[in-house]
Amino acid sequence: MVRHNLWNINEEHGSTIQRISGSPVAVYAIDLNPSILTEDAEFVYFGPFMQYMSGVTDTQVKWILEYRSENPGIRDGDMFIANDRGSGGASV
């Protein structure tokens, strides 16, 4: 039951991104990586979309936690968009 709930949450997450993004890449290529991670960036569940780069999601979140926790600070409800090759977005 938990596994199916996590699947549905991530599927809805990806579908929401596709509906509101306006990006042909997200809508037609389905190139997005919804994931659920713990507060210290350990994987819980991947979304059923583009799996190829999902393996670096934790690296990006760990980078944000290390370099953005103090400046600008991270508070409840904050969101970060990550597309940085140096922090795990792609192989350099």
Short mmCIF file of all heavy atoms in Angstrom, two decimals, residues 25-56:
data_model
loop_
_atom_site.label_atom_id
_atom_site.label_comp_id
_atom_site.label_asym_id
_atom_site.label_seq_id
_atom_site.Cartn_x
_atom_site.Cartn_y
_atom_site.Cartn_z
N VAL A 25 9.50 20.20 -23.62
CA VAL A 25 10.39 19.13 -23.17
C VAL A 25 9.71 18.30 -22.08
O VAL A 25 9.76 17.07 -22.08
CB VAL A 25 11.74 19.70 -22.67
CG1 VAL A 25 12.61 18.63 -22.06
CG2 VAL A 25 12.46 20.43 -23.79
N ALA A 26 9.05 18.96 -21.15
CA ALA A 26 8.34 18.25 -20.08
C ALA A 26 7.09 17.56 -20.61
O ALA A 26 6.80 16.42 -20.24
CB ALA A 26 7.96 19.21 -18.96
N VAL A 27 6.37 18.23 -21.50
CA VAL A 27 5.09 17.69 -21.97
C VAL A 27 5.26 16.55 -22.96
O VAL A 27 4.65 15.49 -22.82
CB VAL A 27 4.22 18.81 -22.58
CG1 VAL A 27 2.94 18.24 -23.19
CG2 VAL A 27 3.89 19.86 -21.53
N TYR A 28 6.11 16.75 -23.98
CA TYR A 28 6.21 15.77 -25.07
C TYR A 28 7.35 14.78 -24.89
O TYR A 28 7.22 13.62 -25.24
CB TYR A 28 6.31 16.49 -26.41
CG TYR A 28 5.11 17.35 -26.68
CD1 TYR A 28 5.21 18.73 -26.70
CD2 TYR A 28 3.85 16.77 -26.87
CE1 TYR A 28 4.10 19.52 -26.93
CE2 TYR A 28 2.73 17.56 -27.09
CZ TYR A 28 2.87 18.93 -27.13
OH TYR A 28 1.76 19.71 -27.34
N ALA A 29 8.47 15.24 -24.36
CA ALA A 29 9.60 14.33 -24.16
C ALA A 29 9.54 13.66 -22.79
O ALA A 29 10.29 12.73 -22.51
CB ALA A 29 10.92 15.07 -24.31
N ILE A 30 8.67 14.14 -21.92
CA ILE A 30 8.51 13.65 -20.55
C ILE A 30 9.87 13.63 -19.84
O ILE A 30 10.22 12.71 -19.14
CB ILE A 30 7.81 12.26 -20.52
CG1 ILE A 30 6.56 12.29 -21.39
CG2 ILE A 30 7.43 11.88 -19.10
CD1 ILE A 30 5.91 10.94 -21.58
N ASP A 31 10.64 14.70 -20.05
CA ASP A 31 11.98 14.82 -19.48
C ASP A 31 11.89 15.59 -18.17
O ASP A 31 12.10 16.80 -18.12
CB ASP A 31 12.91 15.51 -20.47
CG ASP A 31 14.35 15.50 -20.03
OD1 ASP A 31 14.64 15.01 -18.92
OD2 ASP A 31 15.21 15.99 -20.79
N LEU A 32 11.54 14.89 -17.10
CA LEU A 32 11.47 15.46 -15.76
C LEU A 32 11.69 14.34 -14.76
O LEU A 32 11.52 13.17 -15.10
CB LEU A 32 10.11 16.15 -15.53
CG LEU A 32 8.88 15.31 -15.83
CD1 LEU A 32 7.99 15.21 -14.62
CD2 LEU A 32 8.14 15.92 -16.99
N ASN A 33 12.13 14.69 -13.58
CA ASN A 33 12.52 13.69 -12.59
C ASN A 33 11.89 13.93 -11.23
O ASN A 33 12.57 14.33 -10.29
CB ASN A 33 14.04 13.69 -12.40
CG ASN A 33 14.81 13.59 -13.67
OD1 ASN A 33 15.13 14.60 -14.25
ND2 ASN A 33 15.08 12.39 -14.12
N PRO A 34 10.60 13.70 -11.05
CA PRO A 34 10.05 13.85 -9.70
C PRO A 34 10.57 12.75 -8.79
O PRO A 34 10.64 11.58 -9.18
CB PRO A 34 8.54 13.74 -9.91
CG PRO A 34 8.38 12.98 -11.17
CD PRO A 34 9.58 13.29 -12.01
N SER A 35 10.98 13.12 -7.61
CA SER A 35 11.52 12.17 -6.64
C SER A 35 11.10 12.57 -5.24
O SER A 35 10.84 13.73 -4.97
CB SER A 35 13.05 12.16 -6.69
OG SER A 35 13.52 11.90 -7.98
N ILE A 36 11.08 11.61 -4.35
CA ILE A 36 10.85 11.88 -2.93
C ILE A 36 12.14 11.50 -2.22
O ILE A 36 12.64 10.39 -2.39
CB ILE A 36 9.67 11.07 -2.38
CG1 ILE A 36 8.37 11.47 -3.09
CG2 ILE A 36 9.54 11.27 -0.87
CD1 ILE A 36 7.18 10.63 -2.69
N LEU A 37 12.67 12.45 -1.45
CA LEU A 37 13.90 12.23 -0.70
C LEU A 37 13.67 12.56 0.77
O LEU A 37 12.75 13.30 1.10
CB LEU A 37 15.03 13.10 -1.24
CG LEU A 37 15.55 12.73 -2.62
CD1 LEU A 37 14.75 13.40 -3.70
CD2 LEU A 37 17.00 13.10 -2.76
N THR A 38 14.51 12.04 1.63
CA THR A 38 14.45 12.39 3.04
C THR A 38 15.01 13.80 3.23
O THR A 38 15.55 14.39 2.30
CB THR A 38 15.26 11.41 3.90
OG1 THR A 38 16.64 11.50 3.53
CG2 THR A 38 14.76 9.98 3.74
N GLU A 39 14.93 14.32 4.43
CA GLU A 39 15.42 15.67 4.68
C GLU A 39 16.93 15.80 4.53
O GLU A 39 17.46 16.89 4.35
CB GLU A 39 14.99 16.16 6.06
CG GLU A 39 15.58 15.37 7.20
CD GLU A 39 15.07 15.83 8.54
OE1 GLU A 39 14.03 16.49 8.61
OE2 GLU A 39 15.75 15.51 9.54
N ASP A 40 17.66 14.68 4.57
CA ASP A 40 19.10 14.73 4.34
C ASP A 40 19.47 14.16 2.97
O ASP A 40 20.59 13.74 2.74
CB ASP A 40 19.86 14.02 5.47
CG ASP A 40 19.47 12.57 5.64
OD1 ASP A 40 18.43 12.16 5.09
OD2 ASP A 40 20.21 11.84 6.32
N ALA A 41 18.52 14.16 2.03
CA ALA A 41 18.73 13.86 0.62
C ALA A 41 19.00 12.39 0.32
O ALA A 41 19.70 12.07 -0.63
CB ALA A 41 19.83 14.74 0.03
N GLU A 42 18.44 11.50 1.09
CA GLU A 42 18.52 10.07 0.75
C GLU A 42 17.25 9.70 0.01
O GLU A 42 16.16 10.15 0.34
CB GLU A 42 18.68 9.23 2.02
CG GLU A 42 19.96 9.51 2.78
CD GLU A 42 21.22 9.23 1.98
OE1 GLU A 42 21.24 8.24 1.21
OE2 GLU A 42 22.18 10.01 2.12
N PHE A 43 17.38 8.85 -1.01
CA PHE A 43 16.24 8.49 -1.85
C PHE A 43 15.18 7.69 -1.10
O PHE A 43 15.49 6.81 -0.32
CB PHE A 43 16.69 7.66 -3.05
CG PHE A 43 17.37 8.47 -4.10
CD1 PHE A 43 18.73 8.32 -4.32
CD2 PHE A 43 16.67 9.39 -4.86
CE1 PHE A 43 19.37 9.06 -5.28
CE2 PHE A 43 17.30 10.14 -5.82
CZ PHE A 43 18.66 9.98 -6.03
N VAL A 44 13.92 8.01 -1.37
CA VAL A 44 12.79 7.23 -0.91
C VAL A 44 12.11 6.61 -2.14
O VAL A 44 11.84 5.43 -2.16
CB VAL A 44 11.79 8.08 -0.11
CG1 VAL A 44 10.55 7.28 0.25
CG2 VAL A 44 12.44 8.65 1.14
N TYR A 45 11.89 7.44 -3.18
CA TYR A 45 11.15 6.95 -4.34
C TYR A 45 11.40 7.83 -5.55
O TYR A 45 11.45 9.05 -5.43
CB TYR A 45 9.65 6.94 -4.02
CG TYR A 45 8.89 5.87 -4.75
CD1 TYR A 45 8.86 4.57 -4.27
CD2 TYR A 45 8.22 6.15 -5.93
CE1 TYR A 45 8.17 3.58 -4.94
CE2 TYR A 45 7.53 5.17 -6.59
CZ TYR A 45 7.50 3.89 -6.10
OH TYR A 45 6.83 2.91 -6.77
N PHE A 46 11.55 7.22 -6.73
CA PHE A 46 11.65 7.92 -8.01
C PHE A 46 10.29 7.98 -8.67
O PHE A 46 9.48 7.07 -8.51
CB PHE A 46 12.56 7.17 -9.00
CG PHE A 46 14.01 7.24 -8.70
CD1 PHE A 46 14.75 6.08 -8.63
CD2 PHE A 46 14.64 8.44 -8.53
CE1 PHE A 46 16.10 6.12 -8.38
CE2 PHE A 46 16.00 8.49 -8.28
CZ PHE A 46 16.73 7.34 -8.20
N GLY A 47 10.06 9.01 -9.45
CA GLY A 47 8.83 9.08 -10.23
C GLY A 47 8.91 8.22 -11.49
O GLY A 47 9.99 7.84 -11.93
N PRO A 48 7.76 7.91 -12.08
CA PRO A 48 7.72 7.04 -13.26
C PRO A 48 7.93 7.80 -14.56
O PRO A 48 7.26 7.56 -15.56
CB PRO A 48 6.30 6.46 -13.19
CG PRO A 48 5.50 7.55 -12.56
CD PRO A 48 6.42 8.21 -11.58
N PHE A 49 8.84 8.74 -14.58
CA PHE A 49 9.09 9.55 -15.77
C PHE A 49 10.51 9.27 -16.26
O PHE A 49 10.93 8.13 -16.29
CB PHE A 49 8.83 11.03 -15.47
CG PHE A 49 7.39 11.30 -15.14
CD1 PHE A 49 6.94 11.27 -13.83
CD2 PHE A 49 6.47 11.54 -16.14
CE1 PHE A 49 5.62 11.48 -13.52
CE2 PHE A 49 5.13 11.75 -15.85
CZ PHE A 49 4.71 11.73 -14.53
N MET A 50 11.27 10.30 -16.61
CA MET A 50 12.63 10.12 -17.14
C MET A 50 13.55 9.63 -16.02
O MET A 50 13.90 10.38 -15.12
CB MET A 50 13.15 11.44 -17.71
CG MET A 50 14.54 11.39 -18.26
SD MET A 50 14.70 10.41 -19.73
CE MET A 50 14.00 11.51 -20.95
N GLN A 51 13.94 8.38 -16.05
CA GLN A 51 14.74 7.78 -14.99
C GLN A 51 16.24 7.99 -15.19
O GLN A 51 17.02 7.83 -14.26
CB GLN A 51 14.46 6.28 -14.92
CG GLN A 51 13.04 5.96 -14.52
CD GLN A 51 12.80 6.20 -13.06
OE1 GLN A 51 13.59 5.83 -12.22
NE2 GLN A 51 11.70 6.84 -12.74
N TYR A 52 16.65 8.33 -16.40
CA TYR A 52 18.07 8.37 -16.75
C TYR A 52 18.90 9.21 -15.79
O TYR A 52 19.94 8.78 -15.33
CB TYR A 52 18.23 8.86 -18.19
CG TYR A 52 19.66 8.93 -18.64
CD1 TYR A 52 20.38 7.76 -18.86
CD2 TYR A 52 20.29 10.14 -18.85
CE1 TYR A 52 21.69 7.80 -19.27
CE2 TYR A 52 21.59 10.20 -19.25
CZ TYR A 52 22.29 9.02 -19.47
OH TYR A 52 23.59 9.07 -19.86
N MET A 53 18.47 10.41 -15.48
CA MET A 53 19.25 11.30 -14.62
C MET A 53 18.76 11.34 -13.17
O MET A 53 19.24 12.11 -12.36
CB MET A 53 19.25 12.73 -15.20
CG MET A 53 19.96 12.85 -16.53
SD MET A 53 21.69 12.36 -16.46
CE MET A 53 22.38 13.67 -15.51
N SER A 54 17.81 10.50 -12.82
CA SER A 54 17.29 10.50 -11.45
C SER A 54 18.35 10.17 -10.42
O SER A 54 18.27 10.59 -9.27
CB SER A 54 16.13 9.51 -11.32
OG SER A 54 15.03 9.94 -12.06
N GLY A 55 19.36 9.42 -10.82
CA GLY A 55 20.40 8.99 -9.89
C GLY A 55 21.24 10.11 -9.31
O GLY A 55 21.96 9.91 -8.34
N VAL A 56 21.17 11.31 -9.90
CA VAL A 56 21.95 12.44 -9.37
C VAL A 56 21.10 13.43 -8.59
O VAL A 56 21.60 14.45 -8.14
CB VAL A 56 22.73 13.17 -10.49
CG1 VAL A 56 23.74 12.26 -11.14
CG2 VAL A 56 21.78 13.77 -11.51
#
